[in-house]
Amino acid sequence: EAGVTQFPSHSVIEKGQTVTLRCDPISGHDNLYWYRRVMGKEIKFLLHFVKESKQDESGMPNNRFLAERTGGTYSTLKVQPAELEDSGVYFCASSQLPGQGTGNTIYFGEGSWLTVV
Amino acid sequence: AQSVTQLDSQVPVFEEAPVELRCNYSSSVSVYLFWYVQYPNQGLQLLLKYLSGSTLVKGINGFEAEFNKSQTSFHLRKPSVHISDTAEYFCAVTLWNGFKTIFGAGTRLFVKA
């Protein structure tokens, strides 16, 4: 079974440019999460989708970040315009709904490593 | 609100020695407890989890953790470490409804020959 996949794995962009990160959750997982780890800091929650709806976006740092999950399958996280402090690792994760199979376990992808120069 | 505290930011240890990575949490609601590992330049991998039942849980690579409700702790242990265990380890809690996982700051384990 395929795990959570993220693309690109690494990206280097200039300040002011736009980057779009993509996440494909495990098939059948309605919950999709985005997390971020800025260098040396903690892994921080960004937002949570249940299917195509945003359940919780309290962790989104500012309006330069836009997440979408059209159709409730894959998700994108766009940073526009990127700033130096956006550099870090962006993790996507997915899980089933509570009460379903492994619904209490969140599975993470390999991360998208973003460097803004 | 929930929080996770990993008491050691770095733990150096010699190969074949035992190790314990400490984790304390606080929560006003029921949570599930996890340990994740991140090897250099790789993603997050689930090491083990406590959902219910036996308070001693075993994970991959010979790691185990014990849930202590009275002390709100979930310390990770391995009786004999290998060089390949060098990585960063994250303690995490997930709310009972499965929504939102909160991470500790991480503990870097350095295993020396």
Side-chain angles (χ1 to χ4, degrees):
Chain A
E1 179 183 332
V4 178
T5 57
Q6 294 187 242
F7 181 84
S9 58
H10 292 78
S11 180
V12 180
I13 63 171
E14 292 184 350
K15 175 182 173 181
Q17 289 187 319
T18 298
V19 64
T20 300
L21 311 177
R22 173 174 168 140
C23 169
D24 286 80
I26 294 173
S27 178
H29 283 195
D30 288 329
N31 287 319
L32 187 148
Y33 311 82
W34 284 99
Y35 287 81
R36 174 173 80 163
R37 189 182 192 200
V38 174
M39 187 64 67
K41 303 288 187 180
E42 297 179 12
I43 299 172
K44 291 288 192 182
F45 168 83
L46 294 179
L47 87 159
H48 168 210
F49 285 98
V50 177
K51 298 183 181 180
E52 67 275 9
S53 300
K54 291 178 183 176
Q55 175 74 23
D56 182 351
E57 53 184 330
S58 61
M60 294 289 265
N62 51 60
N63 59 10
R64 295 186 294 103
F65 289 77
L66 175 64
E68 295 180 322
R69 192 183 184 194
T70 306
T73 54
Y74 72 91
S75 173
T76 58
L77 178 65
K78 180 189 289 187
V79 185
Q80 178 182 31
E83 298 290 344
L84 298 179
E85 63 265 25
D86 300 332
S87 296
V89 185
Y90 290 77
F91 290 106
C92 178
S94 72
S95 71
Q96 292 182 298
L97 292 175
Q100 291 180 337
T102 60
N104 43 35
T105 301
I106 297 178
Y107 298 90
F108 284 82
E110 294 283 302
S112 288
W113 304 68
L114 174 64
T115 303
V116 183
V117 298
Chain B
Q2 294 73 39
S3 67
V4 179
T5 302
Q6 290 185 242
L7 296 155
D8 307 292
S9 59
Q10 297 187 62
V11 174
V13 64
F14 285 104
E15 192 173 22
E16 297 184 5
V19 70
E20 178 180 80
L21 307 184
R22 297 178 293 169
C23 172
N24 286 91
Y25 71 95
S26 68
S27 177
S28 57
V29 299
S30 296
V31 295
Y32 301 119
L33 299 159
F34 301 81
W35 276 96
Y36 288 88
V37 59
Q38 185 178 19
Y39 296 102
N41 300 315
Q42 295 187 28
L44 285 171
Q45 181 179 359
L46 180 65
L47 202 55
L48 48 78
K49 59 185 176 183
Y50 172 78
L51 306 178
S52 64
S54 173
T55 57
L56 182 64
V57 292
K58 295 186 182 298
I60 61 172
N61 302 336
F63 283 92
E64 63 181 32
E66 185 157 20
F67 169 58
N68 188 318
K69 188 174 182 178
S70 62
Q71 296 184 6
T72 60
S73 68
F74 191 53
H75 301 332
L76 180 70
R77 302 185 184 99
K78 186 170 182 177
S80 175
V81 294
H82 302 290
I83 297 286
S84 59
D85 292 324
T86 294
E88 191 158 16
Y89 293 79
F90 295 92
C91 182
V93 300
T94 296
L95 301 185
W96 65 272
N97 60 8
F99 294 169
K100 187 185 287 189
T101 292
I102 298 166
F103 288 86
T107 298
R108 290 183 180 272
L109 175 64
F110 297 97
V111 182
K112 302 175 287 186

